[in-house]
Amino acid sequence: MTLQERDKKVVWHPFTQIKVAPLPIAIVRGEGAYFFDDQGKRYIDGIASWWVNVHGHSHPYLAKKISEQLSVLEHAIFSGFTHEPAVELAERLLKRLPGNQSKIFYSDNGSTSVEVALKMAFQYWSNLEIPKTKVIAFENGYHGDTFGGMSVGARNAFNMPFSKLLFDVIHIPVPVKGKEEESVSALKNALLHDDVASFIFEPLVQGAGGMVMYSAEVLDQLISMCRAKKVITIADEVMTGFGRTGKFFAADHLQHKPDIICMSKGLTGGVMPLGATSCAQFIYDAFLSDDKMKTFFHGHSYTANTTACSAALASMDLFDKPEAFENIKRIEAKHTAFLQEIKSHKALIDVRQLGTILAFEIKTPEHTNYLNSLAEYISEFFVERGIILRPLGNIMYILPPYCISDQDLDYMYSVVELFLNEQGE
Ligand SMILES: *Cc1c(COP(=O)(O)O)cnc(C)c1O
């Protein structure tokens, strides 16, 4: 039996309609920006393995540091106990985070980092004895697949079976170019409610919603409006963190800093699952009390997993070297040059970029959405040519590990162009 046949017998895959999906590709090895399958075929990982990979696959330094940690202390309960990797990681994250952030709460993935943020914001108000239960969020957002994450995300085909079970959220338009005023005025109206606990957003780029981008200026305006009404602002940096947007955090593009920041994906360099939620001191302070009921009763068995923290620390070491941001700037410049070259292609509705993210919106007769049937065709087209690009409906994007070579970027651009030429015919 092949690995795929054994897989089909026992495994249920995420975001996959098993009945019609092609058999999964069996990956046996990773190195730098490459994957190798069980037939020995090499693929360029053009999407950083669902946006998590940062320094490349099977990085020897990360492997060494994680393996050293494993033989000293692999994991320890984190309530009533602490350990060096968790403390040092919090210290080093806070040095990189905006100056108003002062505490780190650990969990184990992006969705849980969002749950923690939402619960912190709700309980902040509850602890102050002014309970507020409404959340403001952007239309078209994505914040994970747990119930809190689904509630604040876009209401769409993915959460339709659960729609009645999701909590109350005021969705406002995304302030994309030309829609800034609409978004600002929707926020103004939403802030008239006096029971708004928080405003959650993906800063500057909505990832799963189709790499939809908007300006730092307008987000600054929205954050300052929330601040004036004492509404807690939550930046979900699960995708945008760790260099993706050209700066360490997307919040580094902003003048007004969010109160809470969610991190995961690139946090460990893409090696181990880990989530972290940072918050400003005033939020933490609202939980300090002689009243036990004001405790933040949240935790996971693997909170601050020691090995995952050591992976994140090793990744931070690599970020401290000049090469990390030199690579990010190199990718950014190459993306910009290709964008200029391709932008008026007749198969494109739009092409947009922020930092290392380059997205192409392809013309299609179908209504644009994630379930667009062009997606499977795009995946196959690129896989045949040794590239992994998994589009979001008709939105195709390149979001590579930062170690990718110029040559591999050029090859991906050439295949993108080939694809567009074929579409444009
Ligand atoms: C991926 C993602 C999440 C969910 O993270 P998981 O680790 O997949 O649970 C949440 N928010 C954003 C912005 C994401 O891109």
Side-chain angles (χ1 to χ4, degrees), residues 50-52 108-114 142-146 202 205 207-208 236-240 262 264-265 274:
W50 256 0
W51 323 342
V52 302
D108 38 30
N109 59 66
S111 303
T112 55
S113 76
V114 168
Y142 178 75
H143 299 284
D145 293 334
T146 49
E202 291 162 272
V205 191
D236 177 352
E237 293 243 21
V238 169
M239 188 279 279
T240 53
C262 308
S264 187
K265 294 201 167 123
L274 183 66

Tab-separated table of all heavy atoms in Angstrom, residues 50-52 108-114 142-146 202 205 207-208 236-240 262 264-265 274, ligand 1:
chain	number	residue	atom	x	y	z
A	50	TRP	N	1.542	27.108	4.430
A	50	TRP	CA	0.401	27.766	5.090
A	50	TRP	C	0.862	28.924	5.973
A	50	TRP	O	0.370	29.123	7.078
A	50	TRP	CB	-0.443	26.779	5.904
A	50	TRP	CG	-1.729	26.414	5.210
A	50	TRP	CD1	-2.166	26.863	4.005
A	50	TRP	CD2	-2.747	25.520	5.683
A	50	TRP	NE1	-3.380	26.311	3.690
A	50	TRP	CE2	-3.766	25.491	4.705
A	50	TRP	CE3	-2.901	24.753	6.845
A	50	TRP	CZ2	-4.926	24.724	4.849
A	50	TRP	CZ3	-4.044	23.995	6.984
A	50	TRP	CH2	-5.041	23.977	6.002
A	51	TRP	N	1.873	29.652	5.469
A	51	TRP	CA	2.283	30.935	6.045
A	51	TRP	C	3.070	30.809	7.346
A	51	TRP	O	3.225	31.785	8.076
A	51	TRP	CB	1.093	31.895	6.265
A	51	TRP	CG	0.040	31.842	5.206
A	51	TRP	CD1	0.176	31.320	3.934
A	51	TRP	CD2	-1.305	32.312	5.284
A	51	TRP	NE1	-0.998	31.439	3.236
A	51	TRP	CE2	-1.934	32.040	4.036
A	51	TRP	CE3	-2.040	32.948	6.268
A	51	TRP	CZ2	-3.259	32.378	3.768
A	51	TRP	CZ3	-3.366	33.276	6.002
A	51	TRP	CH2	-3.958	32.988	4.768
A	52	VAL	N	3.546	29.620	7.651
A	52	VAL	CA	4.258	29.461	8.934
A	52	VAL	C	5.768	29.534	8.796
A	52	VAL	O	6.460	30.014	9.690
A	52	VAL	CB	3.881	28.142	9.664
A	52	VAL	CG1	2.384	28.088	9.922
A	52	VAL	CG2	4.343	26.904	8.919
A	108	ASP	N	-1.432	27.638	22.177
A	108	ASP	CA	-0.703	26.757	21.270
A	108	ASP	C	-0.997	26.847	19.784
A	108	ASP	O	-0.476	26.053	19.022
A	108	ASP	CB	-0.728	25.302	21.746
A	108	ASP	CG	-2.035	24.893	22.358
A	108	ASP	OD1	-3.055	25.442	21.959
A	108	ASP	OD2	-2.048	24.039	23.234
A	109	ASN	N	-1.782	27.798	19.349
A	109	ASN	CA	-1.932	28.020	17.902
A	109	ASN	C	-2.553	29.394	17.674
A	109	ASN	O	-2.812	30.132	18.629
A	109	ASN	CB	-2.754	26.899	17.248
A	109	ASN	CG	-4.139	26.785	17.832
A	109	ASN	OD1	-4.956	27.678	17.679
A	109	ASN	ND2	-4.408	25.695	18.532
A	110	GLY	N	-2.796	29.723	16.406
A	110	GLY	CA	-3.332	31.042	16.089
A	110	GLY	C	-4.748	31.236	16.615
A	110	GLY	O	-5.073	32.280	17.200
A	111	SER	N	-5.586	30.223	16.429
A	111	SER	CA	-6.976	30.345	16.888
A	111	SER	C	-7.033	30.562	18.401
A	111	SER	O	-7.815	31.383	18.889
A	111	SER	CB	-7.768	29.084	16.530
A	111	SER	OG	-7.722	28.841	15.148
A	112	THR	N	-6.208	29.823	19.143
A	112	THR	CA	-6.248	29.996	20.603
A	112	THR	C	-5.665	31.351	21.003
A	112	THR	O	-6.113	31.946	21.985
A	112	THR	CB	-5.512	28.865	21.345
A	112	THR	OG1	-4.172	28.772	20.857
A	112	THR	CG2	-6.219	27.530	21.182
A	113	SER	N	-4.695	31.869	20.239
A	113	SER	CA	-4.177	33.202	20.581
A	113	SER	C	-5.277	34.247	20.415
A	113	SER	O	-5.324	35.241	21.149
A	113	SER	CB	-2.936	33.551	19.746
A	113	SER	OG	-3.296	33.913	18.431
A	114	VAL	N	-6.186	34.005	19.459
A	114	VAL	CA	-7.330	34.905	19.254
A	114	VAL	C	-8.373	34.710	20.362
A	114	VAL	O	-8.913	35.689	20.908
A	114	VAL	CB	-7.960	34.678	17.852
A	114	VAL	CG1	-9.303	35.379	17.725
A	114	VAL	CG2	-7.000	35.140	16.756
A	142	TYR	N	-10.518	36.767	8.802
A	142	TYR	CA	-10.325	35.379	9.237
A	142	TYR	C	-9.509	35.387	10.519
A	142	TYR	O	-8.433	35.986	10.581
A	142	TYR	CB	-9.602	34.546	8.166
A	142	TYR	CG	-9.356	33.122	8.633
A	142	TYR	CD1	-10.408	32.196	8.677
A	142	TYR	CD2	-8.099	32.716	9.089
A	142	TYR	CE1	-10.203	30.904	9.142
A	142	TYR	CE2	-7.889	31.422	9.558
A	142	TYR	CZ	-8.946	30.521	9.581
A	142	TYR	OH	-8.745	29.245	10.050
A	143	HIS	N	-10.045	34.729	11.555
A	143	HIS	CA	-9.356	34.727	12.845
A	143	HIS	C	-9.265	33.336	13.440
A	143	HIS	O	-9.061	33.198	14.642
A	143	HIS	CB	-10.053	35.692	13.810
A	143	HIS	CG	-10.045	37.126	13.337
A	143	HIS	ND1	-8.924	37.918	13.404
A	143	HIS	CD2	-11.008	37.883	12.754
A	143	HIS	CE1	-9.205	39.119	12.897
A	143	HIS	NE2	-10.462	39.133	12.493
A	144	GLY	N	-9.432	32.313	12.613
A	144	GLY	CA	-9.284	30.948	13.113
A	144	GLY	C	-10.586	30.181	13.112
A	144	GLY	O	-11.655	30.722	12.803
A	145	ASP	N	-10.528	28.913	13.468
A	145	ASP	CA	-11.658	27.996	13.309
A	145	ASP	C	-12.326	27.576	14.610
A	145	ASP	O	-13.205	26.717	14.610
A	145	ASP	CB	-11.194	26.753	12.540
A	145	ASP	CG	-10.826	27.115	11.106
A	145	ASP	OD1	-11.373	28.110	10.602
A	145	ASP	OD2	-10.000	26.410	10.512
A	146	THR	N	-11.910	28.131	15.732
A	146	THR	CA	-12.622	27.878	16.983
A	146	THR	C	-13.842	28.806	17.014
A	146	THR	O	-13.976	29.686	16.160
A	146	THR	CB	-11.691	28.176	18.163
A	146	THR	OG1	-11.094	29.452	17.937
A	146	THR	CG2	-10.586	27.128	18.275
A	202	GLU	N	-7.218	42.079	11.268
A	202	GLU	CA	-5.933	41.650	10.732
A	202	GLU	C	-5.266	42.929	10.225
A	202	GLU	O	-5.764	43.545	9.284
A	202	GLU	CB	-6.154	40.677	9.566
A	202	GLU	CG	-6.721	39.325	9.961
A	202	GLU	CD	-7.321	38.594	8.758
A	202	GLU	OE1	-8.512	38.814	8.476
A	202	GLU	OE2	-6.601	37.826	8.105
A	205	VAL	N	-3.267	43.500	6.153
A	205	VAL	CA	-3.544	42.442	5.167
A	205	VAL	C	-4.524	41.438	5.755
A	205	VAL	O	-4.263	40.880	6.823
A	205	VAL	CB	-2.280	41.622	4.796
A	205	VAL	CG1	-2.568	40.728	3.592
A	205	VAL	CG2	-1.087	42.505	4.531
A	207	GLY	N	-5.476	37.920	5.351
A	207	GLY	CA	-4.859	36.764	4.694
A	207	GLY	C	-5.855	35.863	4.003
A	207	GLY	O	-6.015	35.889	2.779
A	208	ALA	N	-6.557	35.040	4.784
A	208	ALA	CA	-7.460	34.041	4.212
A	208	ALA	C	-8.567	34.679	3.380
A	208	ALA	O	-9.096	34.061	2.455
A	208	ALA	CB	-8.045	33.179	5.325
A	236	ASP	N	-4.734	41.009	15.160
A	236	ASP	CA	-4.462	39.588	14.934
A	236	ASP	C	-3.290	39.515	13.952
A	236	ASP	O	-3.468	39.609	12.738
A	236	ASP	CB	-5.712	38.907	14.368
A	236	ASP	CG	-5.468	37.443	14.033
A	236	ASP	OD1	-4.303	36.996	14.093
A	236	ASP	OD2	-6.445	36.748	13.700
A	237	GLU	N	-2.086	39.364	14.514
A	237	GLU	CA	-0.855	39.328	13.702
A	237	GLU	C	-0.404	37.892	13.442
A	237	GLU	O	0.779	37.649	13.195
A	237	GLU	CB	0.268	40.097	14.414
A	237	GLU	CG	0.023	41.594	14.517
A	237	GLU	CD	1.065	42.423	13.775
A	237	GLU	OE1	1.743	41.879	12.873
A	237	GLU	OE2	1.182	43.622	14.111
A	238	VAL	N	-1.351	36.954	13.518
A	238	VAL	CA	-0.980	35.542	13.341
A	238	VAL	C	-0.307	35.327	11.974
A	238	VAL	O	0.690	34.622	11.877
A	238	VAL	CB	-2.215	34.633	13.530
A	238	VAL	CG1	-1.921	33.199	13.100
A	238	VAL	CG2	-2.664	34.667	14.992
A	239	MET	N	-0.822	35.977	10.929
A	239	MET	CA	-0.176	35.852	9.614
A	239	MET	C	0.844	36.961	9.386
A	239	MET	O	1.912	36.713	8.816
A	239	MET	CB	-1.254	35.868	8.519
A	239	MET	CG	-0.741	35.547	7.128
A	239	MET	SD	0.028	36.939	6.278
A	239	MET	CE	-1.422	37.783	5.668
A	240	THR	N	0.549	38.193	9.815
A	240	THR	CA	1.386	39.341	9.437
A	240	THR	C	2.667	39.474	10.262
A	240	THR	O	3.571	40.209	9.862
A	240	THR	CB	0.588	40.661	9.575
A	240	THR	OG1	0.028	40.711	10.898
A	240	THR	CG2	-0.516	40.756	8.548
A	262	CYS	N	-2.038	39.272	18.741
A	262	CYS	CA	-2.058	37.801	18.651
A	262	CYS	C	-0.942	37.336	17.726
A	262	CYS	O	-0.782	37.876	16.627
A	262	CYS	CB	-3.375	37.317	18.052
A	262	CYS	SG	-4.829	37.977	18.864
A	264	SER	N	1.255	33.713	16.186
A	264	SER	CA	1.460	32.259	16.081
A	264	SER	C	2.240	32.024	14.787
A	264	SER	O	3.218	32.723	14.556
A	264	SER	CB	0.127	31.507	16.109
A	264	SER	OG	0.363	30.127	16.170
A	265	LYS	N	1.813	31.094	13.928
A	265	LYS	CA	2.456	30.830	12.629
A	265	LYS	C	3.976	31.001	12.640
A	265	LYS	O	4.672	30.079	13.008
A	265	LYS	CB	1.789	31.661	11.536
A	265	LYS	CG	0.348	31.203	11.327
A	265	LYS	CD	-0.256	31.557	10.000
A	265	LYS	CE	-1.550	30.790	9.798
A	265	LYS	NZ	-2.717	31.598	9.563
A	274	LEU	N	2.750	26.966	18.449
A	274	LEU	CA	2.797	27.812	19.646
A	274	LEU	C	1.979	29.071	19.367
A	274	LEU	O	2.000	29.576	18.250
A	274	LEU	CB	4.255	28.201	19.960
A	274	LEU	CG	4.508	29.029	21.236
A	274	LEU	CD1	4.182	28.222	22.493
A	274	LEU	CD2	5.955	29.511	21.311
B	1	LIG	C1	-4.071	31.262	10.332
B	1	LIG	C2	-4.715	32.383	11.067
B	1	LIG	C3	-5.367	32.157	12.292
B	1	LIG	C4	-5.549	30.779	12.868
B	1	LIG	O1	-4.344	30.195	13.231
B	1	LIG	P1	-4.277	28.613	13.437
B	1	LIG	O2	-2.915	28.365	13.970
B	1	LIG	O3	-4.488	28.017	12.079
B	1	LIG	O4	-5.352	28.241	14.387
B	1	LIG	C5	-5.888	33.250	12.945
B	1	LIG	N1	-5.770	34.486	12.451
B	1	LIG	C6	-5.141	34.740	11.284
B	1	LIG	C7	-5.014	36.144	10.809
B	1	LIG	C8	-4.608	33.692	10.552
B	1	LIG	O5	-4.016	33.944	9.367
